[in-house]
Amino acid sequence: MPMNKLIFTLMLLCLGTTVSAQFTRTAHQEGWEDTPPEAVRKGFYLQKTILADMDAQPGMEEVLVFGHDNGHYPTFDLFKVYYAIVDHYSKEVKYMSDVYVNDTYYVKVEDRNADGLSELYISYFKDGKFSVDERGYNLQTVRCYDRIECTPQPTTHK
């Protein structure tokens, strides 16, 4: 009998731990708690965060990519997207883009011109316009590709 009680107690302990894990916050969503409220537009949700040195100022910047669904089709989805450039330490919003339409959350941050500062590369549908056939296939649009870089601010000496 004591062996049965020991096995029952161990099973109960394992089951209790499993059930407890289901209701306990075990995952931490990176970045959301640090997102400045003025960077979030109503109905948009944080999709990705990219850390980079975008300007000549000391410290890094975060490129925050926000989006929401804009339609579902048989072979693709559409999203409304915008990005914000935020100082990583002060959380000051340095720039917010206009909302654009794309079929991905494509945003790339690289220093392709090797000047020590990263540039932002985005893709979007020109004027947010596109067409599909009567069944929702054959996406037709003009894709635009932009390179965004922070321009150095002129310094004034007193």
Side-chain angles (χ1 to χ4, degrees):
M1 236 357 153
M3 187 61 132
N4 288 343
K5 287 184 180 180
L6 178 63
I7 292 173
F8 180 74
T9 304
L10 287 175
M11 286 177 39
L12 194 59
L13 183 63
C14 289
L15 180 66
T17 304
T18 304
V19 170
S20 168
Q22 295 295 318
F23 298 103
T24 305
R25 182 175 179 205
T26 56
H28 176 71
Q29 186 177 5
E30 274 305 312
W32 185 253
E33 292 84 6
D34 297 332
T35 304
E38 58 272 13
V40 182
R41 292 182 173 144
K42 185 177 181 178
F44 285 82
Y45 303 96
L46 184 64
Q47 301 299 322
K48 73 166 73 170
T49 303
I50 304 166
L51 191 62
D53 189 6
M54 301 284 298
D55 60 19
Q57 303 294 321
M60 303 289 275
E61 286 75 37
E62 287 180 82
V63 178
L64 307 174
V65 181
F66 295 88
H68 72 78
D69 288 341
N70 192 49
H72 301 282
Y73 295 87
T75 58
F76 62 92
D77 293 326
L78 293 182
F79 308 101
K80 285 195 175 179
V81 183
Y82 76 94
Y83 62 88
I85 299 175
V86 176
D87 183 87
H88 179 63
Y89 299 105
S90 71
K91 300 302 177 195
E92 171 193 350
V93 176
K94 293 185 172 188
Y95 180 78
M96 283 179 59
S97 75
D98 292 332
V99 174
Y100 55 91
V101 176
N102 203 354
D103 56 349
T104 66
Y105 288 113
Y106 176 84
V107 174
K108 189 113 175 141
V109 178
E110 291 181 340
D111 182 13
R112 292 184 186 171
N113 62 2
D115 66 353
L117 302 176
S118 297
E119 301 87 33
L120 179 66
Y121 297 88
I122 64 170
S123 165
Y124 58 94
F125 296 177
K126 183 177 182 179
D127 300 323
K129 295 182 180 176
F130 66 94
S131 65
V132 295
D133 65 18
E134 65 277 352
R135 294 184 5 224
Y137 293 93
N138 195 23
L139 173 65
Q140 298 290 312
T141 187
V142 175
R143 292 185 189 269
C144 298
Y145 301 92
D146 282 353
R147 173 181 159 204
I148 296 100
E149 62 182 314
C150 296
T151 55
Q153 299 297 323
T155 55
T156 56
H157 298 285
K158 293 181 181 182

mmCIF file of all heavy atoms in Angstrom, residues 84-104:
data_model
loop_
_atom_site.group_PDB
_atom_site.id
_atom_site.type_symbol
_atom_site.label_atom_id
_atom_site.label_comp_id
_atom_site.label_asym_id
_atom_site.label_seq_id
_atom_site.Cartn_x
_atom_site.Cartn_y
_atom_site.Cartn_z
ATOM 1 N N ALA A 84 8.528 52.827 -36.977
ATOM 2 C CA ALA A 84 8.937 53.962 -36.148
ATOM 3 C C ALA A 84 10.399 53.747 -35.775
ATOM 4 O O ALA A 84 10.816 52.625 -35.496
ATOM 5 C CB ALA A 84 8.077 54.050 -34.893
ATOM 6 N N ILE A 85 11.157 54.830 -35.779
ATOM 7 C CA ILE A 85 12.541 54.787 -35.330
ATOM 8 C C ILE A 85 12.579 55.456 -33.973
ATOM 9 O O ILE A 85 12.161 56.606 -33.820
ATOM 10 C CB ILE A 85 13.483 55.484 -36.327
ATOM 11 C CG1 ILE A 85 13.408 54.764 -37.677
ATOM 12 C CG2 ILE A 85 14.909 55.505 -35.793
ATOM 13 C CD1 ILE A 85 14.198 55.423 -38.791
ATOM 14 N N VAL A 86 13.044 54.696 -32.969
ATOM 15 C CA VAL A 86 12.985 55.124 -31.573
ATOM 16 C C VAL A 86 14.377 55.022 -30.970
ATOM 17 O O VAL A 86 15.092 54.042 -31.216
ATOM 18 C CB VAL A 86 11.997 54.218 -30.787
ATOM 19 C CG1 VAL A 86 11.972 54.561 -29.316
ATOM 20 C CG2 VAL A 86 10.610 54.298 -31.389
ATOM 21 N N ASP A 87 14.762 56.011 -30.173
ATOM 22 C CA ASP A 87 16.030 55.919 -29.444
ATOM 23 C C ASP A 87 15.930 54.758 -28.466
ATOM 24 O O ASP A 87 14.978 54.663 -27.694
ATOM 25 C CB ASP A 87 16.324 57.226 -28.717
ATOM 26 C CG ASP A 87 17.667 57.187 -28.018
ATOM 27 O OD1 ASP A 87 18.676 57.514 -28.661
ATOM 28 O OD2 ASP A 87 17.692 56.816 -26.823
ATOM 29 N N HIS A 88 16.901 53.882 -28.509
ATOM 30 C CA HIS A 88 16.854 52.653 -27.702
ATOM 31 C C HIS A 88 16.841 52.931 -26.200
ATOM 32 O O HIS A 88 16.190 52.219 -25.441
ATOM 33 C CB HIS A 88 18.045 51.761 -28.060
ATOM 34 C CG HIS A 88 18.112 50.486 -27.281
ATOM 35 N ND1 HIS A 88 17.140 49.515 -27.365
ATOM 36 C CD2 HIS A 88 19.028 50.021 -26.396
ATOM 37 C CE1 HIS A 88 17.457 48.507 -26.582
ATOM 38 N NE2 HIS A 88 18.600 48.784 -25.978
ATOM 39 N N TYR A 89 17.536 53.969 -25.756
ATOM 40 C CA TYR A 89 17.658 54.215 -24.318
ATOM 41 C C TYR A 89 16.607 55.183 -23.793
ATOM 42 O O TYR A 89 15.971 54.914 -22.788
ATOM 43 C CB TYR A 89 19.072 54.700 -23.999
ATOM 44 C CG TYR A 89 20.097 53.674 -24.382
ATOM 45 C CD1 TYR A 89 20.881 53.828 -25.511
ATOM 46 C CD2 TYR A 89 20.237 52.492 -23.650
ATOM 47 C CE1 TYR A 89 21.793 52.855 -25.892
ATOM 48 C CE2 TYR A 89 21.136 51.518 -24.025
ATOM 49 C CZ TYR A 89 21.911 51.707 -25.140
ATOM 50 O OH TYR A 89 22.798 50.740 -25.519
ATOM 51 N N SER A 90 16.401 56.294 -24.478
ATOM 52 C CA SER A 90 15.436 57.289 -23.980
ATOM 53 C C SER A 90 14.004 56.971 -24.397
ATOM 54 O O SER A 90 13.065 57.513 -23.848
ATOM 55 C CB SER A 90 15.811 58.683 -24.492
ATOM 56 O OG SER A 90 15.558 58.788 -25.890
ATOM 57 N N LYS A 91 13.821 56.113 -25.400
ATOM 58 C CA LYS A 91 12.519 55.752 -25.974
ATOM 59 C C LYS A 91 11.838 56.938 -26.640
ATOM 60 O O LYS A 91 10.629 56.949 -26.843
ATOM 61 C CB LYS A 91 11.585 55.113 -24.928
ATOM 62 C CG LYS A 91 12.138 53.844 -24.331
ATOM 63 C CD LYS A 91 12.423 52.819 -25.393
ATOM 64 C CE LYS A 91 13.040 51.564 -24.809
ATOM 65 N NZ LYS A 91 13.641 50.723 -25.813
ATOM 66 N N GLU A 92 12.623 57.931 -27.033
ATOM 67 C CA GLU A 92 12.112 59.078 -27.775
ATOM 68 C C GLU A 92 11.855 58.654 -29.219
ATOM 69 O O GLU A 92 12.710 58.054 -29.865
ATOM 70 C CB GLU A 92 13.124 60.222 -27.745
ATOM 71 C CG GLU A 92 12.768 61.373 -28.657
ATOM 72 C CD GLU A 92 13.925 62.342 -28.850
ATOM 73 O OE1 GLU A 92 14.939 62.236 -28.135
ATOM 74 O OE2 GLU A 92 13.809 63.201 -29.734
ATOM 75 N N VAL A 93 10.665 58.967 -29.729
ATOM 76 C CA VAL A 93 10.339 58.637 -31.111
ATOM 77 C C VAL A 93 11.018 59.669 -32.005
ATOM 78 O O VAL A 93 10.742 60.853 -31.925
ATOM 79 C CB VAL A 93 8.814 58.643 -31.344
ATOM 80 C CG1 VAL A 93 8.496 58.383 -32.807
ATOM 81 C CG2 VAL A 93 8.138 57.619 -30.460
ATOM 82 N N LYS A 94 11.906 59.176 -32.864
ATOM 83 C CA LYS A 94 12.634 60.067 -33.770
ATOM 84 C C LYS A 94 11.921 60.221 -35.104
ATOM 85 O O LYS A 94 12.020 61.256 -35.752
ATOM 86 C CB LYS A 94 14.046 59.538 -34.008
ATOM 87 C CG LYS A 94 14.915 59.578 -32.773
ATOM 88 C CD LYS A 94 16.320 59.155 -33.091
ATOM 89 C CE LYS A 94 17.211 59.380 -31.889
ATOM 90 N NZ LYS A 94 18.625 59.159 -32.228
ATOM 91 N N TYR A 95 11.202 59.174 -35.537
ATOM 92 C CA TYR A 95 10.508 59.238 -36.826
ATOM 93 C C TYR A 95 9.438 58.158 -36.877
ATOM 94 O O TYR A 95 9.630 57.060 -36.376
ATOM 95 C CB TYR A 95 11.500 59.011 -37.977
ATOM 96 C CG TYR A 95 10.846 59.060 -39.326
ATOM 97 C CD1 TYR A 95 10.520 60.268 -39.916
ATOM 98 C CD2 TYR A 95 10.523 57.882 -40.007
ATOM 99 C CE1 TYR A 95 9.898 60.317 -41.165
ATOM 100 C CE2 TYR A 95 9.905 57.919 -41.243
ATOM 101 C CZ TYR A 95 9.594 59.140 -41.810
ATOM 102 O OH TYR A 95 8.969 59.185 -43.028
ATOM 103 N N MET A 96 8.303 58.495 -37.508
ATOM 104 C CA MET A 96 7.246 57.518 -37.788
ATOM 105 C C MET A 96 6.874 57.642 -39.254
ATOM 106 O O MET A 96 6.636 58.746 -39.745
ATOM 107 C CB MET A 96 6.018 57.757 -36.916
ATOM 108 C CG MET A 96 6.181 57.265 -35.501
ATOM 109 S SD MET A 96 4.754 57.546 -34.440
ATOM 110 C CE MET A 96 3.462 56.684 -35.270
ATOM 111 N N SER A 97 6.826 56.516 -39.940
ATOM 112 C CA SER A 97 6.489 56.535 -41.361
ATOM 113 C C SER A 97 4.985 56.637 -41.562
ATOM 114 O O SER A 97 4.198 56.448 -40.624
ATOM 115 C CB SER A 97 7.002 55.261 -42.036
ATOM 116 O OG SER A 97 6.186 54.152 -41.701
ATOM 117 N N ASP A 98 4.606 56.886 -42.797
ATOM 118 C CA ASP A 98 3.209 56.777 -43.183
ATOM 119 C C ASP A 98 2.844 55.298 -43.235
ATOM 120 O O ASP A 98 3.722 54.434 -43.301
ATOM 121 C CB ASP A 98 2.975 57.401 -44.562
ATOM 122 C CG ASP A 98 3.164 58.918 -44.556
ATOM 123 O OD1 ASP A 98 2.941 59.535 -43.499
ATOM 124 O OD2 ASP A 98 3.528 59.462 -45.611
ATOM 125 N N VAL A 99 1.564 55.000 -43.257
ATOM 126 C CA VAL A 99 1.097 53.617 -43.377
ATOM 127 C C VAL A 99 1.155 53.228 -44.849
ATOM 128 O O VAL A 99 0.769 54.013 -45.724
ATOM 129 C CB VAL A 99 -0.341 53.478 -42.835
ATOM 130 C CG1 VAL A 99 -0.891 52.080 -43.081
ATOM 131 C CG2 VAL A 99 -0.379 53.820 -41.351
ATOM 132 N N TYR A 100 1.675 52.049 -45.124
ATOM 133 C CA TYR A 100 1.740 51.554 -46.495
ATOM 134 C C TYR A 100 1.223 50.123 -46.540
ATOM 135 O O TYR A 100 1.066 49.473 -45.510
ATOM 136 C CB TYR A 100 3.152 51.669 -47.083
ATOM 137 C CG TYR A 100 4.246 51.014 -46.279
ATOM 138 C CD1 TYR A 100 4.612 49.689 -46.518
ATOM 139 C CD2 TYR A 100 4.931 51.702 -45.284
ATOM 140 C CE1 TYR A 100 5.626 49.089 -45.798
ATOM 141 C CE2 TYR A 100 5.950 51.108 -44.558
ATOM 142 C CZ TYR A 100 6.285 49.799 -44.819
ATOM 143 O OH TYR A 100 7.287 49.205 -44.104
ATOM 144 N N VAL A 101 0.951 49.617 -47.747
ATOM 145 C CA VAL A 101 0.390 48.277 -47.941
ATOM 146 C C VAL A 101 1.465 47.382 -48.556
ATOM 147 O O VAL A 101 2.186 47.797 -49.462
ATOM 148 C CB VAL A 101 -0.848 48.321 -48.863
ATOM 149 C CG1 VAL A 101 -1.371 46.916 -49.147
ATOM 150 C CG2 VAL A 101 -1.935 49.186 -48.251
ATOM 151 N N ASN A 102 1.546 46.150 -48.055
ATOM 152 C CA ASN A 102 2.485 45.174 -48.589
ATOM 153 C C ASN A 102 1.957 43.775 -48.295
ATOM 154 O O ASN A 102 1.052 43.610 -47.474
ATOM 155 C CB ASN A 102 3.871 45.355 -47.968
ATOM 156 C CG ASN A 102 4.970 44.787 -48.833
ATOM 157 O OD1 ASN A 102 4.713 44.159 -49.860
ATOM 158 N ND2 ASN A 102 6.194 45.003 -48.418
ATOM 159 N N ASP A 103 2.544 42.779 -48.940
ATOM 160 C CA ASP A 103 2.147 41.401 -48.675
ATOM 161 C C ASP A 103 3.110 40.709 -47.719
ATOM 162 O O ASP A 103 2.988 39.512 -47.474
ATOM 163 C CB ASP A 103 1.987 40.603 -49.967
ATOM 164 C CG ASP A 103 3.223 40.606 -50.837
ATOM 165 O OD1 ASP A 103 4.162 41.396 -50.557
ATOM 166 O OD2 ASP A 103 3.261 39.840 -51.815
ATOM 167 N N THR A 104 4.073 41.455 -47.177
ATOM 168 C CA THR A 104 4.975 40.952 -46.138
ATOM 169 C C THR A 104 5.284 42.093 -45.178
ATOM 170 O O THR A 104 5.011 43.258 -45.469
ATOM 171 C CB THR A 104 6.328 40.452 -46.711
ATOM 172 O OG1 THR A 104 7.034 41.574 -47.256
ATOM 173 C CG2 THR A 104 6.135 39.394 -47.768
#
